[in-house]
Amino acid sequence: KPFTEEQEALVVKSWNVMKKNSAELGLKFFLKIFEIAPSAKKLFSFLRDSTIPLEQNPKLKPHAMSVFLMTCESAVQLRKAGKVTVRESSLKKLGAVHFKYGVVDEHFEVTKFALLDTIKEAVPDMWSPAMKNAWGEAYDQLVAAIKTEMKPSS
Ligand code: HEM
Ligand code: ISQ
């Protein structure tokens, strides 16, 4: 079924509110993932090789925000084009990086749960089943696109 203008609007409007608070949001998002899947922490080189506390790590926020931003962009593309259109070169890179760092299906599921939970807490007044569905669909389609490129880079 097509991704509607209403679904796109739900994603974009909540992201526009959330991005003003991106530092706190990014930390919460990471903490939720590691709460459910503590072993996932070892996947991230900038956490694994670091002695500074998680909440002070400068790489954390930009990394977490890229997941939100790309999922939001995925919603826009789904509505416009009916599919996720990350530039082919960057999709290849994304697939290769996630393959190389050992990301598996369960990680994508945990991250989806953490993403939706973070949004729910960030915009409680806007949150609805329709909003959950819109973000979930945009995320699923983006992950599907990344997974098609999850193979060793040549
Ligand atoms: C790296 C996005 C899902 C773990 C990255 C990068 C981006 C990104 C943009 C940086 C790539 C680069 O270096 O050029 C996304 C998006 C996701 C997603 C959009 C889902 C829609 C996941 C999941 C995990 C994960 C589920 C595992 C829990 C990692 C790791 C790296 C990475 C370990 C490498 C970090 C490092 O440099 O040490 N991701 N990611 N990603 N991602 Fe994801
Ligand atoms: C997945 N890939 C890169 C960065 C991330 C930050 C937070 C949660 C998931 C992520």
Side-chain angles (χ1 to χ4, degrees):
K1 47 184 160 18
F3 199 82
T4 65
E5 233 170 279
E6 287 74 24
Q7 287 178 299
E8 179 193 20
L10 287 170
V11 171
V12 172
K13 105 174 160 185
S14 50
W15 169 243
N16 280 331
V17 172
M18 287 189 286
K19 68 182 176 196
K20 295 176 197 139
N21 199 13
S22 60
E24 194 195 341
L25 208 70
L27 178 61
K28 271 192 170 174
F29 182 36
F30 258 118
L31 291 177
K32 266 189 213 298
I33 293 172
F34 301 148
E35 202 178 292
I36 311 168
S39 64
K41 205 184 248 181
K42 295 196 287 279
L43 297 175
F44 293 90
S45 60
F46 55 89
L47 300 177
R48 193 177 51 224
D49 309 336
S50 171
T51 52
I52 53 173
L54 192 72
E55 56 275 15
Q56 285 165 29
N57 194 304
K59 299 239 175 101
L60 200 122
K61 175 184 151 188
H63 264 81
M65 283 309 99
S66 71
V67 178
F68 277 88
L69 183 62
M70 291 189 72
T71 306
C72 184
E73 284 168 352
S74 156
V76 175
Q77 293 157 359
L78 279 172
R79 202 267 309 152
K80 266 196 208 148
K83 61 179 172 126
V84 176
T85 52
V86 186
R87 270 185 310 119
E88 200 194 340
S89 59
S90 47
L91 195 58
K92 284 209 173 351
K93 169 106 197 281
L94 271 179
V97 166
H98 289 91
F99 180 83
K100 180 182 135 193
Y101 282 80
V103 179
V104 296
D105 285 356
E106 289 73 26
H107 293 126
F108 285 106
E109 284 168 30
V110 168
T111 299
K112 179 183 182 182
F113 183 86
L115 180 83
L116 297 176
D117 217 43
T118 305
I119 300 166
K120 179 184 171 177
E121 281 178 18
V123 290
D125 302 336
M126 283 184 189
W127 186 250
S128 67
M131 183 173 280
K132 178 181 180 179
N133 177 275
W135 274 98
E137 183 72 17
Y139 177 87
D140 285 346
Q141 300 277 345
L142 175 58
V143 166
I146 294 174
K147 280 185 183 174
T148 61
E149 296 297 340
M150 281 186 67
K151 49 200 172 206
S153 53
S154 43

